[in-house]
Amino acid sequence: MTTPALRTDPVHARATRKTMLKLIPLLCLIYFMSYIDRTNVSMAKTQFETDIGLSAAAYGLGAGIFFISYAFLEIPSNLIMYKVGPRAWITRIALTWGAVTVLMMFVQGEYSFYILRFILGAAEAGLFPAMAYMVTVWFAQHQRASVMGYIYLAPTIALIIGGPLGGALMEMDDIAGLHGWQWMFIVEGLITMAIGALLWFKLPSKPTDAKWLTAEEASSMISHAGVPDESDKHIRGNLGKAFGRPFIVLLAFVYFLNQISSVGLVFNIPSIIESMDVSTPFVIGLISGSVGIGATIGVLIMPRLFRGSQREAAWLGAMALGTLITAAAYMLIDSAPIRVLLILIGAIFIFGTLPLFWSVAMARMSGVVAAAGLAFINTIGLIGGFVGPYLFGIAETKTGDPATGFVIVIAVSVISMALVPFLARALKSEDRARKLREEQNLQAQLPEQVLDVQATEGR
């Protein structure tokens, strides 16, 4: 827990302001493109059906299959990142996934769609947990919910402008004999590769690498972030710490449920809007941005309300309840404007959960355990990213209505609320165990300190 004295340290405050201005925009920039490249395939859903005969179920499977390779390579990717450093690894991720995005222009049917989406997930694996790990290295715990909120601005803004951007690129249909969706993949992939090259020159891995920090400021950032336990240098022998603690397992399952809702909604929102008798791609993209507006409000406001709260699990439960209420209201109301408003409000709860969630996880991990543990949680969540679009696709195929997916949102919200008491108990148990370890370490250090004092007095 960070003391009030640390929060008022002028050197640390100055260093934090510099880091916010220099580091966070770089992380947001690459995360923005990651979300654009990952989700703008939803803009091509209808055109895929027309141009290459891709069914709604096949689209849902292909949209979700991205998360299979992404999920299973998260942990090895983040362990490599821990060894080679975030700068080199995030640069590699950006360059490879940008190249695969360009290759998406060659999709010709469902099998090529599945293969390229699978490769795209493999290329991008490890990006988010690498950024989350950087937050544990650079920032004090009391700052992390807000910092994660700022990082999550990237995907929320991508949801606002990504739709209109993708829609505008889709309007390039028949230029140079290419479909609009082909132009969308080409342009977005090349921009991602350019940003990857920029990161190689501008992204520092740790405070001591940052040219904008003095040595004193870098030291302050490191000390306030907390020094990783030296026993956590190697994952071997620490598997239980990274993967087996009850609070980690429960957080992973809560994140899994959240991703079913959020990814399922994001990948299907254009078709949901289109079902409201909107037909122009640009207008569909513009209205789809309502999800991004709600998500932006959520990631900015919720961390401020959450800051300093001791009832972490209750907050997560309240967010699930808000999602449940808005999804149920959507199913009961036929008015298109009100439905768009409810989508916006639901996004506040669905996306506003995320910075709170990661702050809870980061408070209880450090070192290589953080690198592996955060990647493990993200891995389980990404499986939800596969399940969500697939379930939404099945629901639409059976009913013919894309909005049927909100029944899935209601179901996972109920399950999330049911997990709250178990998570609260697990967090309390983890905190008691950590406090006991700290007391034992302090007691072990006392004899050495006494001996040092006696030796000094003897001299």
Side-chain angles (χ1 to χ4, degrees):
M1 184 66 68
T2 306
T3 65
L6 289 179
R7 297 191 187 204
T8 57
D9 180 346
V11 175
H12 182 248
R14 184 172 65 250
T16 299
R17 284 194 297 271
K18 289 183 179 180
T19 302
M20 288 287 192
L21 291 173
K22 298 286 189 177
L23 180 68
I24 298 303
L26 290 172
L27 297 180
C28 285
L29 186 60
I30 194 59
Y31 198 27
F32 172 85
M33 287 311 302
S34 136
Y35 223 76
I36 290 285
D37 291 346
R38 186 189 311 175
T39 61
N40 256 6
V41 68
S42 64
M43 293 299 301
K45 179 182 177 183
T46 303
Q47 283 69 28
F48 275 157
E49 184 175 346
T50 302
D51 296 336
I52 61 176
L54 202 67
S55 68
Y59 166 80
L61 178 59
I65 208 168
F66 165 94
F67 294 96
I68 297 297
S69 54
Y70 193 170
F72 285 101
L73 290 175
E74 283 282 87
I75 294 172
S77 176
N78 228 36
L79 291 176
I80 295 173
M81 178 279 302
Y82 184 75
K83 291 184 177 295
V84 305
R87 169 176 166 260
W89 199 241
I90 292 176
T91 297
R92 193 283 305 161
I93 290 172
L95 291 175
T96 52
W97 112 61
V100 177
T101 297
V102 174
L103 293 177
M104 285 288 294
M105 69 175 287
F106 295 111
V107 169
Q108 296 180 351
E110 60 184 69
Y111 294 111
S112 58
F113 182 55
Y114 297 157
I115 291 169
L116 284 170
R117 287 290 294 177
F118 186 85
I119 296 173
L120 184 64
E124 194 178 328
L127 175 65
F128 181 81
M131 294 192 298
Y133 172 78
M134 289 188 72
V135 172
T136 70
V137 171
W138 286 77
F139 294 98
Q141 172 56 27
H142 74 275
Q143 300 169 325
R144 289 173 186 168
S146 295
V147 171
M148 290 304 295
Y150 294 135
I151 290 175
Y152 270 115
L153 279 176
T156 64
I157 292 173
L159 288 172
I160 296 173
I161 69 175
L165 173 63
L169 292 172
M170 294 279 288
E171 299 283 357
M172 296 175 66
D173 201 41
D174 287 335
I175 294 179
L178 298 177
H179 296 296
W181 55 267
Q182 291 177 305
W183 279 113
M184 181 179 69
F185 291 132
I186 292 170
V187 172
E188 292 175 357
L190 291 176
I191 291 173
T192 297
M193 294 177 72
I195 293 172
L198 174 68
L199 293 177
W200 176 254
F201 295 101
K202 295 292 185 180
L203 182 68
S205 289
K206 53 187 183 296
T208 51
D209 295 338
K211 296 180 180 179
W212 66 76
L213 295 177
T214 65
E216 182 185 22
E217 290 168 344
S219 177
S220 177
M221 292 295 287
I222 292 170
S223 63
H224 284 60
V227 180
D229 188 338
E230 289 301 307
S231 67
D232 292 348
K233 281 186 175 180
H234 305 286
I235 192 60
R236 184 177 297 174
N238 286 303
L239 291 176
K241 292 182 181 180
F243 308 140
R245 286 181 282 179
F247 90 92
I248 292 178
V249 175
L250 283 166
L251 281 176
F253 191 39
V254 170
Y255 190 44
F256 167 81
L257 295 169
N258 174 275
Q259 292 298 284
I260 289 176
S261 295
S262 62
V263 178
L265 181 62
V266 166
F267 276 88
N268 286 275
I269 191 65
S271 59
I272 291 172
I273 299 300
E274 190 172 5
S275 70
M276 300 177 188
D277 295 326
V278 181
S279 57
T280 306
F282 179 74
V283 177
I284 291 172
L286 197 63
I287 300 175
S288 298
S290 61
V291 173
I293 294 172
T296 301
I297 295 171
V299 300
L300 285 177
I301 299 300
M302 293 305 172
R304 294 180 182 276
L305 298 176
F306 172 80
R307 188 181 299 160
S309 173
Q310 300 301 310
R311 305 192 64 181
E312 298 164 311
W315 265 97
L316 296 177
M319 304 296 277
L321 176 61
T323 303
L324 170 64
I325 292 172
T326 52
Y330 184 97
M331 298 298 295
L332 295 172
I333 294 173
D334 292 329
S335 169
I338 295 178
R339 280 189 157 189
V340 172
L341 178 62
L342 286 169
I343 290 172
L344 185 153
I345 295 171
I348 293 176
F349 295 108
I350 293 173
F351 288 87
T353 302
L354 297 173
L356 316 188
F357 170 88
W358 288 110
S359 176
V360 173
M362 290 173 181
R364 296 161 175 89
M365 288 184 266
S366 65
V368 72
V369 169
L374 295 173
F376 169 74
I377 293 172
N378 205 46
T379 295
I380 303 303
L382 288 169
I383 296 172
F386 165 75
V387 172
Y390 188 52
L391 291 179
F392 270 66
I394 291 175
E396 181 182 351
T397 299
K398 288 184 176 297
T399 65
D401 182 5
T404 310
F406 280 95
V407 174
I408 298 165
V409 175
I410 292 170
V412 299
S413 298
V414 170
I415 298 171
S416 296
M417 292 169 59
L419 289 175
V420 167
F422 301 99
L423 178 60
R425 193 175 302 117
L427 292 175
K428 288 181 181 178
S429 176
E430 177 67 22
D431 291 342
R432 283 196 298 267
R434 182 177 58 175
K435 185 177 180 180
L436 180 61
R437 288 194 300 269
E438 290 174 351
E439 290 174 351
Q440 290 173 342
N441 290 337
L442 182 60
Q443 291 173 358
Q445 292 171 4
L446 285 176
E448 296 179 4
Q449 294 172 352
V450 170
L451 290 174
D452 289 341
V453 172
Q454 290 175 345
T456 302
E457 290 175 349
R459 288 196 294 271

